[in-house]
Amino acid sequence: MSSAPADKIETTSRGSLAVVFLTVFIDLLGFGIVLPLLPIYAAQFGVDEHGIELGLLMASFSAMQFLFAPLWGLLSDRIGRRPVIMIGLSGSVIFYAIFGIATEWQCIWLLFVARIGAGIAGATISTAQAYIADTTSLENRSKGMALIGMAFGLGFTFGPLLGFLAAPSGEGDPGPWPGYVAAILSAGALILAWFKLPESMPRDSAVRSSNTHRGLSLGSLRTALGTKSIRGLLIAFFVCVFSFANFETTLGMMIHGSRLPGSPFHFSFRAVCLTFAFIGATLAIVQGGIVRRLAGRVSEGTLAATGGIAQIIGFLLIAAAVNTGSTGVLFLALAIIVGGFAFVTPSLNSLLSRRSDPEKQGEILGLAQSVNSMARIVGSGLGIPLLMISMTLPAYVAAGLMAVGVVLVIAAARGGSDFETETPSEAAETETI
């Protein structure tokens, strides 16, 4: 193959990566505006004292991602990545607007509608990951996945800051504008994708996929789970994300402290937004400035295991911060937890894409997103009730689970090879499982 076409492909890939980065970033701005305030909104609407209804509300978003991520991934393998990303952005516009209406009316069931719809629309993140896989080489795959993580981090940095600015006052009801601003930003991402986002799959590849994939069959799931290295990675994914979801979904309520008698923290909702902005900035700095530099030099398994160990330390520091009432220890713990998470997710995504059939990457990454979402369903559903029992209990549970996750990550990383380098005997063994 001559160098000229390769250079052209590399240039095209860089431009495509820039556009998909901006698209994900703008869409995540909207998500970042809403997430920190969601538990506070729901608490103001009057939910049960055990936190079960609030846990279900937080879990509903992830439940829809669990159901729809593999469907979006499979559909993107058939019709292309661009149309699926466009559908997801359109849904975000609609359901964030409904979120604003729900908060204005203080209607809990409409808030459920908004979160369920946003979960369906947000499940297309696996398609964005498949887009990255389409436009990067195996050597640069982990760097590309870290780019998505950096977009998440920046979205979580500036999203809460915009939520801070969209709220009319520092106390009381945050009002409907965070939801409306999120809808406006998603509309901006939709416009950007419409004019600037090219299709990443060759036309013949899309046609070939459309002829071979007719649905999310049990056979396709068995094929993915029957590959030992992919199965191990998916289990590791579940445990790591489950432990993080305990922290993520309880943080807003924990630092706001309004429904937790004896809480040492009493942040205003604006302070909650600034805290999440700090989390997003940490995530962006670590993934954009450290993980991307280490990717390709250090193995994905080593990066993921290192991140998991850091999270264990951070979760234990969260419990110490609650026991001592120290805001300084709290923010140190947040930096360590989020920094560790920044190492884990892009590394596991990169390993998954490297070990997947290129023709089925959308499907496999969609399955991974469903596993991610299932972990968040369980983590969200249990995290808030655990918080109601004891403010330190979610942190201790998360630390214990992450210890298991580190072991699973190491085992999965050592137990497989890239799809292209799989030997015939390994392929035959996979088919017989």
Side-chain angles (χ1 to χ4, degrees), residues 304-394:
T306 301
I309 293 170
Q311 286 185 275
I312 295 170
I313 296 171
F315 290 135
L316 295 176
L317 284 174
I318 284 283
V322 172
N323 289 329
T324 61
S326 172
T327 303
V329 174
L330 172 67
F331 275 90
L332 174 63
L334 294 180
I336 294 174
I337 291 170
V338 176
F341 191 68
F343 276 77
V344 172
T345 49
S347 301
L348 292 180
N349 276 323
S350 178
L351 278 173
L352 272 173
S353 67
R354 289 171 67 102
R355 295 178 183 182
S356 301
D357 182 347
E359 290 291 327
K360 300 179 180 179
Q361 284 197 89
E363 185 176 351
I364 297 298
L365 290 172
L367 182 60
Q369 188 67 18
S370 280
V371 171
N372 183 316
S373 300
M374 175 57 74
R376 289 180 181 275
I377 293 168
V378 180
S380 300
L382 293 179
I384 292 177
L386 288 175
L387 184 70
M388 294 297 188
I389 297 172
S390 170
M391 288 186 64
T392 58
L393 191 54

Side-chain angles (χ1 to χ4, degrees), residues 38-39 41-43 45 47 51-62 99 108-116 380:
L38 182 59
Y41 278 125
F45 296 175
V47 295
I52 296 175
E53 186 176 3
L54 181 53
L56 290 174
L57 178 65
M58 298 294 288
S60 62
F61 181 91
S62 296
F99 184 94
I108 189 69
W109 69 264
L110 196 57
L111 202 60
F112 267 97
V113 171
R115 295 309 293 158
I116 289 171
S380 300

